[in-house]
Amino acid sequence: MNNNDIVRRIRFIFNIKNADMIQIFELGGLKMTKEQYQDIMTKQEPDTPRDEKLSRHDLEVFMNGLIISQRGVKKDEDGNPIEPDYSMQRDNDINNVVIKKLKIAMTYSNEDLLDFWTADGFTVTKGKSVRCYVAKDILNIWLLVTNLCVNY
């Protein structure tokens, strides 16, 4: 799955309007034009690099913007905004970070994740749910199951 596929699927699952998607990128710290956004939302050819249309950093900017759009800016004890973290250091980090940040943005609990997987016929125990994040296709599976549950 390419980085822009992740953003495209999140947009579809949560029925986010184009203008709101651009605003989410901006909340995360990335200003973009409609043309840049439309390029990101265009499906990539199958054998192209994962980050051809959307870099790993810009994907994480989007995920941070999604959290801010849903939960507001995180603040410290004195009320000062806390800078979002950037955890996607390698391609192997993407699935874990996207699931973690979607979970934060949508206020999902571990039990919600287990329910999503169970709804689609996957048997996952609490102990295994954390280890499942690293499975190669778990993000794709999780996005599909979330889509089923959100739209059910």
Side-chain angles (χ1 to χ4, degrees):
M1 182 181 331
N2 297 318
N3 293 344
N4 74 322
D5 286 335
I6 296 168
V7 173
R8 291 173 64 236
R9 290 175 190 207
I10 289 171
R11 179 193 178 282
F12 175 76
I13 289 168
F14 297 107
N15 196 24
I16 305 171
K17 295 178 181 155
N18 289 335
D20 294 335
M21 290 289 290
I22 292 171
Q23 184 179 13
I24 289 169
F25 274 105
E26 289 178 1
L27 287 170
L30 180 64
K31 301 263 186 227
M32 70 173 48
T33 65
K34 282 184 181 180
E35 292 77 22
Q36 291 169 316
Y37 169 73
Q38 289 170 341
D39 185 49
I40 289 170
M41 298 308 284
T42 303
K43 187 170 177 71
Q44 278 183 222
E45 294 299 317
D47 294 326
T48 56
R50 178 180 189 133
D51 61 354
E52 181 176 279
K53 291 186 180 278
L54 187 67
S55 71
R56 188 173 50 232
H57 180 267
D58 291 348
L59 172 60
E60 192 157 18
V61 163
F62 172 79
M63 297 307 301
N64 288 335
L66 185 64
I67 291 170
I68 293 168
S69 75
Q70 298 301 305
R71 311 266 314 257
V73 175
K74 188 174 183 178
K75 297 184 178 182
D76 64 16
E77 296 167 355
D78 298 326
N80 299 317
I82 297 174
E83 286 291 317
D85 75 322
Y86 292 92
S87 314
M88 290 185 196
Q89 303 302 316
R90 307 176 325 250
D91 282 350
N92 290 345
D93 299 331
I94 292 173
N95 289 356
N96 289 348
V97 174
V98 168
I99 291 174
K100 179 181 98 175
K101 292 190 178 204
L102 266 175
K103 187 177 156 190
I104 293 168
M106 301 305 169
T107 61
Y108 292 144
S109 66
N110 284 336
E111 287 75 25
D112 292 330
L113 296 181
L114 292 172
D115 290 345
F116 293 150
W117 288 321
T118 302
D120 202 42
F122 293 97
T123 304
V124 182
T125 64
K126 266 188 184 179
K128 288 183 181 178
S129 68
V130 174
R131 291 192 307 264
C132 280
Y133 293 158
V134 298
K136 183 177 180 183
D137 293 326
I138 196 65
L139 179 60
N140 190 33
I141 293 165
W142 191 78
L143 289 171
L144 291 171
V145 172
T146 303
N147 184 32
L148 291 172
C149 295
V150 167
N151 293 310
Y152 181 67

